[in-house]
Amino acid sequence: MAGDTQQATGTALGDTLTSWLSIYLKGIAMGTADSIPGVSGGTIAFITGIYERLITAITSVDPAAATLLLGITSGRGRQRLADRLIEMDVPFLVVLGTGVVTAVVAVSRFVYLALQEAPGATFAFFFGLIAASAIVLYEQLSLATPGRIAAAATGFVLAFLVSGVTAGADGIHALPVVFVAGSIAIVAMILPGVSGAFFLVLLGQYEYLTGTLTAFVDGIIAAAVGDRAVGSLLDPATTVVTFVAGAVVGLFTVAHAIRWALDHYRAATLSFLVSLMVGALRLPVIEMRDATATLSPESIAPLLLATVVGGGAVLVLDRYTDDLSY
């Protein structure tokens, strides 16, 4: 009898570990998508079947629960805190978030290197991703009212103007700008179809932030093995923390505002967002032009190939998610 109980407990523990591993891997998939302009982590959450749970968990988080930390000195207080965290599904958010961060750190390093070594082809790849995403989302639109047309026109003009300013420029990377970028980029986890990395590209922060994250991780490794002083991490660490703080604030402000807009003015909101993506295509075009010294079949061919690969990736993804509603 005791052996049966022990076996049942072991099986339950195995099931729990398997479940958490599954959530972690889904977080990696989301983080990979969140790191690439044009692909939405929210879409990956839909595909993997955790979107509703994610939204429910985010909206269930209550800052007032922090008051329970005052009672952690007693066993009863710790139990109350644990019960409240489980009730809000915080363990799910932590495991999923760990997977997202793992992927973001790995993928951002690769993308940053690609931007340094082959900026033209990389931005051509981004162009394909963003253009295909706009095409996919366009199927959801209906510009049947003046309000929707106005929303679409506003989104296009806004993105066209902003992308003209940020393309080819060093950009402003002050901490308040990084904070705002983080609060806007977090929408990728909330809104299927729209990429948070896309907004970073539009705001001229993408290459800077991927480079800063890469430098931060390299600095941590170097400090751990004694090759660099911990103090040298201050600048990249400050930027990373500021971005994360913006993302946290955005999770409970910008993301909720967008969800409200979708619930009440879905067609107009989608019209604005899709047109925003179309207008922003100006930026990768400028970057491709600046990175191409001369126009010739030899220089254009890699750009066309990268564009096709990027667009094809989104279209293939959409092909297997036809039953999902953005």
Side-chain angles (χ1 to χ4, degrees), residues 62-262:
D62 181 10
T67 58
L68 294 176
L69 290 171
L70 299 175
I72 60 173
T73 55
S74 67
R76 183 177 179 182
R78 288 191 293 271
Q79 186 61 51
R80 289 181 60 193
L81 176 61
D83 291 343
R84 187 71 179 102
L85 292 176
I86 293 173
E87 181 184 348
M88 295 186 295
D89 214 3
V90 170
F92 163 77
L93 291 176
V94 171
V95 175
L96 184 71
T98 302
V100 170
V101 171
T102 301
V104 168
V105 169
V107 175
S108 62
R109 174 182 296 272
F110 173 79
V111 174
Y112 179 69
L113 290 175
L115 284 169
Q116 301 307 305
E117 299 297 328
T122 303
F123 275 102
F125 179 69
F126 291 169
F127 181 92
L129 289 169
I130 297 170
S133 296
I135 292 172
V136 168
L137 286 175
Y138 183 77
E139 299 173 358
Q140 308 290 327
L141 300 186
S142 174
L143 301 178
T145 67
R148 297 176 190 175
I149 294 174
T154 301
F156 177 85
V157 172
L158 178 62
F160 189 84
L161 294 176
V162 171
S163 59
V165 173
T166 57
D170 290 336
I172 300 174
H173 307 303
L175 293 182
V177 176
V178 171
F179 182 89
V180 172
S183 67
I184 294 175
I186 197 65
V187 300
M189 293 181 62
I190 305 300
L191 187 60
V194 179
S195 164
F198 155 74
F199 285 109
L200 295 182
V201 171
L202 176 61
L203 295 172
Q205 303 298 317
Y206 185 77
E207 185 172 356
Y208 168 73
L209 288 173
T210 53
T212 299
L213 180 59
T214 299
F216 177 61
V217 174
D218 288 345
I220 290 178
I221 296 174
V225 299
D227 290 342
R228 184 182 301 180
V230 176
S232 64
L233 293 173
L234 182 59
D235 286 344
T238 301
T239 300
V240 171
V241 169
T242 300
F243 180 84
V244 172
V248 171
V249 172
L251 198 61
F252 299 102
T253 55
V254 177
H256 281 265
I258 291 177
R259 289 297 302 176
W260 179 89
L262 281 172

Side-chain angles (χ1 to χ4, degrees), residues 9 22 49 106 150 206 223 302 305:
T9 302
S22 174
Y206 185 77
L305 178 60

